[in-house]
């Protein structure tokens, strides 16, 4: 039974269009886009406080900017004082002039000259992802602006050699920060905000933010969100949500869950679909906080396209936030509407939504998912094409696919087997049914589509199939099944290559 694949993967198509023509639909320059991004506030304030920087960045054509997130900037101690020249150098070191490089064009070992005289950045690309100077991973690639492209980097800002060796002035005494003003949201902006009922329990020793529960507590205290709360508890996402200092949760109402296909909802609560549920819930969670007034203001500047924000699911699938009239907020082209905005919790904010959003990863079929994973599965994809097996993996399934990663095919450097042999090899890597890693037990045997079985050993080294091939990365979900990436190829017969 296939629940997810019904909707087409609009987001893929759109992303491709965006990338093929480097024109920002909104006409926003790199500076505008950085300024509107709730995760890039530190970078933006450095840019605007550096004389001439805004102008330079707005007038340069076709640039690539690596934009450290606010979180990345937290690795720089608060009491470090950069001189204006040091800030300028640091910013220049994040800019590649002359060409807008898409993430896919960054190759392992590539070095690119920055606009800081004589300094280059080096790139590392591997199974973990794309890294700049080894320590800063690209966390959100390919944000297109009218005059270039922005890749958000996490972990830490890029420091030119001159700034690396503690040539930083440290202020003698940490300057006490003025008390952060609490944003006043007296004016209801979207819909009336229900106040979480004040707890009539024993008075707490402290007042202020401490008296507010965390995101999940507050959600649970509201009427009409019990399905969501139950599902969150089922996947253990509550721990992750509680650990985040600034989070946003889009909370589908009980009615929203009730309007899903009942068999789909039922399946989601069962162990085989645990990872699918997790991806869906994480698609509603954001590791940053954004609330009505600012968000609406930004969205009204951005126009109908709105803003795409990376969710916390594995693929960081993005949710599109739009406000066509500057007053109401909707998501993914009206797939969901915010019905109650800006409910505060101690560690973030909750917006109630009237529909469950389904991320691309639970809508795409296995065929599409494999095809999109050029980094690890491009050879597997080529083989599936040659063996004409893509259609099989578009069917309802569900299927569990043990997909050999590109390196696994190295033994075929001298030539590929015949199509008939390919079909046998490939169908030996596909099992009917949904088997996430959590359901694969030591000693278990599964019958493949080819007919013969695979035996699993669960060891300290990981899960090994037929004592020879290891699961390198488990549980990539797809609409019609689940994919485990494996480090070798299982041979269902002896062939000579
Ligand atoms: C990929 O490269 C980064 C940066 O060099 C490194 O931290 C990470 O461990 C590497 N991952 C793998 C799987 O090699
Ligand atoms: C909504 O539609 C617009 C225009 O077709 C497109 O650019 C955008 O990516 C769509 N959003 C989603 C989430 O599919
Ligand atoms: C893998 O193990 C199963 C169970 O022992 C066995 O039936 C099958 O033939 C093995 N496959 C290969 C390719 O050795």
């Amino acid at each position: 039974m296939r629940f997810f694949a019904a909707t087409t993967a609009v987001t893929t198509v759109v992303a491709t269009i965006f990338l093929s023509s480097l024109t920002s639909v909104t006409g926003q320059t790199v500076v505008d886009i950085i300024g509107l991004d709730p995760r890039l506030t530190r970078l933006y304030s450095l840019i605007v406080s550096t004389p001439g920087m805004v102008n330079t960045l707005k007038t340069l054509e076709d640039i690539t900017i690596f934009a450290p997130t606010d979180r990345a900037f937290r690795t720089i101690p608060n009491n470090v004082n950069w001189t204006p020249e040091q800030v300028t150098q640091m910013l220049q070191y994040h800019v590649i002039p002359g060409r807008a490089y898409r993430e896919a064009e960054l190759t392992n070992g590539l070095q690119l000259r920055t606009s800081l005289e004589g300094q280059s950045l080096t790139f590392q690309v591997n199974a973990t992802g794309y890294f700049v100077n080894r320590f800063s991973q690209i966390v959100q690639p390919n944000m297109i602006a009218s005059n270039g492209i922005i890749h958000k980097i996490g972990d830490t800002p890029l420091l030119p050699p001159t700034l690396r060796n503690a040539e930083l002035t440290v202020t003698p005494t940490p300057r006490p920060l003025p008390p952060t003003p609490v944003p006043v949201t007296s004016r209801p902006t979207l819909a009336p905000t229900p106040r979480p009922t004040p707890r009539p329990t024993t008075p707490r020793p402290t007042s202020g933010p401490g008296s507010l529960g965390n995101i999940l507590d507050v959600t649970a205290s509201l009427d009409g969100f019990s399905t969501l709360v139950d599902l969150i508890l089922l996947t253990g996402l509550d721990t992750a949500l509680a650990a985040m200092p600034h989070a946003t949760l889009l909370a589908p109402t009980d009615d929203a869950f009730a309007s899903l296909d009942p068999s789909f909802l039922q399946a989601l609560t069962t162990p085989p679909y645990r990872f699918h549920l997790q991806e869906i819930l994480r698609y509603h969670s954001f590791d940053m906080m954004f609330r009505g007034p600012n968000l609406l203001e930004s969205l009204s500047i951005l126009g109908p396209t709105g803003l795409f924000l990376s969710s916390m699911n594995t693929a960081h699938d993005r949710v599109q936030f739009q406000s066509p009239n500057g007053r109401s907020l909707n998501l993914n082209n009206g797939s969901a509407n915010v019905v109650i905005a800006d409910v505060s919790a101690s560690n973030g904010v909750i917006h109630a939504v009237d529909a469950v959003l389904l991320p691309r990863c639970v809508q795409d079929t296995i065929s599409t998912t494999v095809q999109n994973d050029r980094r690890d599965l491009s050879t597997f994809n080529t083989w599936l094409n040659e063996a004409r097996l893509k259609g099989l993996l578009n069917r309802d399934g569900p299927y569990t696919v043990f997909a050999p990663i590109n390196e696994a095919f190295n033994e075929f450097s001298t030539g590929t087997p015949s199509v008939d042999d390919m079909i046998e090899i490939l169908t030996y890597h596909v099992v009917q049914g949904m088997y996430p890693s959590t359901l694969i037990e030591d000693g278990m045997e599964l019958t493949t589509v080819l007919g013969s079985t695979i035996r699993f050993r669960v060891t300290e080294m990981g899960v090994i199939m037929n004592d020879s091939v290891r699961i390198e990365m488990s549980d990539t979900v797809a609409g019609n099944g689940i994919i485990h990436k494996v480090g070798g190829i299982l041979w269902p017969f002896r062939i000579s290559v």
Side-chain angles (χ1 to χ4, degrees):
M1 190 158 24
R2 170 161 132 221
F3 298 114
F4 304 99
T7 325
T8 50
V10 186
T11 42
T12 331
V13 178
V14 168
T16 322
I17 294 168
F18 271 30
L19 294 177
S20 54
S21 68
L22 269 190
T23 341
S24 150
V25 228
T26 60
Q28 307 281 312
T29 67
V30 288
V31 179
D32 301 321
I33 290 193
I34 291 170
L36 289 170
D37 194 300
R39 279 170 100 178
L40 301 177
T41 61
R42 288 283 304 274
L43 176 65
Y44 186 65
S45 65
L46 289 173
I47 289 174
V48 295
S49 61
T50 301
M53 191 55 76
V54 170
N55 235 342
T56 310
L57 290 180
K58 280 192 169 174
T59 47
L60 284 173
E61 294 283 320
D62 291 339
I63 57 178
T64 306
I65 297 194
F66 295 93
T69 59
D70 292 343
R71 168 171 290 212
F73 272 109
R74 278 190 227 150
T75 56
I76 310 276
N78 270 334
N79 55 351
V80 163
N81 257 355
W82 280 326
T83 64
E85 297 83 75
Q86 285 175 321
V87 173
T88 306
Q89 288 173 5
M90 194 270 294
L91 292 174
Q92 288 172 333
Y93 192 56
H94 286 77
V95 177
I96 309 289
R99 180 156 165 204
Y101 287 88
R102 286 177 286 122
E103 183 187 51
E105 295 176 288
L106 303 171
T107 51
N108 194 28
L110 179 72
Q111 290 203 348
L112 295 177
R113 283 257 178 89
T114 68
S115 44
L116 177 61
E117 188 69 32
Q119 299 299 329
S120 302
L121 299 174
T122 315
F123 298 87
Q124 291 77 36
V125 180
N126 60 27
T128 316
Y130 288 75
F131 293 82
V132 193
N133 284 1
R134 297 200 33 241
F135 295 114
S136 303
Q137 186 168 6
I138 296 183
V139 292
Q140 184 178 341
N142 304 331
M143 299 163 69
I144 310 293
S146 58
N147 66 330
I149 192 165
I150 302 163
H151 306 291
K152 268 190 213 171
I153 54 173
D155 310 303
T156 179
L158 305 167
L159 296 187
T162 46
L163 278 182
R164 269 176 225 162
N165 303 322
E167 286 183 15
L168 309 165
T169 340
V170 176
T171 49
T173 46
R175 197 159 24 109
L177 293 171
T180 328
V182 180
V184 184
T185 49
S186 53
R187 185 167 50 101
T189 46
L190 300 176
T193 305
R195 279 166 221 297
T197 17
R199 313 218 159 171
T201 48
T202 43
R204 307 220 169 182
T206 54
S207 61
S211 56
L212 209 52
N214 71 24
I215 281 208
L216 194 66
D217 297 336
V218 172
T219 309
S221 75
L222 300 171
D223 268 348
F225 297 90
S226 58
T227 313
L228 174 66
V229 172
D230 289 349
L231 293 176
I232 287 179
L233 292 173
L234 199 59
T235 59
L237 183 61
D238 50 320
T239 324
L241 279 174
M244 287 191 277
H246 304 288
T248 302
L249 178 66
L250 299 173
T253 59
D254 287 345
D255 285 347
F257 280 106
S259 63
L260 292 174
D261 178 342
S263 55
F264 169 33
L265 186 57
Q266 153 64 22
L268 281 180
T269 63
T270 63
Y273 287 88
R274 190 55 40 85
F275 288 95
H276 290 76
L277 176 61
Q278 213 164 58
E279 293 291 353
I280 293 171
L281 294 178
R282 284 179 158 267
Y283 189 54
H284 292 76
S285 316
F286 303 82
D287 190 4
M288 55 185 144
M289 189 153 84
F290 38 88
R291 32 171 76 252
N294 287 339
L295 189 62
L296 288 176
E297 200 177 297
S298 312
L299 292 173
S300 61
I301 297 171
L302 281 171
T305 312
L307 195 64
F308 290 86
L309 294 171
S310 295
S311 74
M312 292 192 56
N313 78 4
T314 308
H316 299 296
D317 283 320
R318 298 190 298 168
V319 176
Q320 185 180 18
F321 288 76
Q322 294 152 303
S323 179
N325 54 12
R327 269 171 286 118
S328 61
L329 180 59
N330 67 45
L331 306 162
N332 289 355
N333 288 329
S335 305
N337 300 293
V338 171
V339 288
I340 307 169
D342 303 329
V343 181
S344 299
S346 62
N347 66 330
V349 65
I350 301 149
H351 305 301
V353 293
D354 63 1
V356 179
L357 296 170
L358 295 182
R360 210 183 88 188
C361 63
V362 300
Q363 296 188 42
D364 285 350
T365 64
I366 294 174
S367 269
T368 308
T369 308
V370 167
Q371 186 163 325
N372 290 339
D373 188 349
R374 304 227 179 86
R375 191 177 306 172
D376 289 335
L377 302 180
S378 59
T379 312
F380 183 55
N381 186 53
T382 306
W383 277 46
L384 287 175
N385 273 324
E386 283 181 32
R388 297 183 189 283
L389 286 172
K390 296 292 290 271
L392 172 76
L393 299 180
N394 273 329
R395 288 198 203 139
D396 286 355
Y399 295 107
T400 301
V401 175
F402 300 92
I405 57 176
N406 290 341
E407 290 76 11
F409 289 89
N410 286 347
E411 48 190 307
F412 291 102
S413 51
T414 55
T416 48
S418 70
V419 166
D420 285 346
D421 287 349
M422 271 187 180
I423 292 173
E424 290 206 17
I425 296 172
L426 292 171
T427 52
Y428 190 49
H429 290 77
V430 180
V431 167
Q432 183 120 33
M434 186 78 89
Y435 297 96
S437 58
T438 42
L439 294 185
I440 295 179
E441 288 166 5
D442 190 37
M444 189 163 152
E445 285 191 21
L446 291 177
T447 304
T448 64
V449 168
L450 177 66
S452 31
T453 61
I454 301 175
R455 194 188 58 250
F456 295 86
R457 287 260 168 258
V458 179
T459 73
E460 282 178 2
M461 304 283 296
V463 178
I464 317 279
M465 311 196 307
N466 274 27
D467 301 320
S468 58
V469 169
R470 198 168 84 108
I471 296 185
E472 301 293 341
M473 197 191 148
S474 55
D475 306 310
T476 301
V477 307
N480 59 343
I482 198 157
I483 301 166
H484 305 299
K485 297 183 190 176
V486 302
I489 292 172
L490 288 168
W491 294 86
F493 53 86
R494 302 224 145 268
I495 57 171
S496 49
V497 188

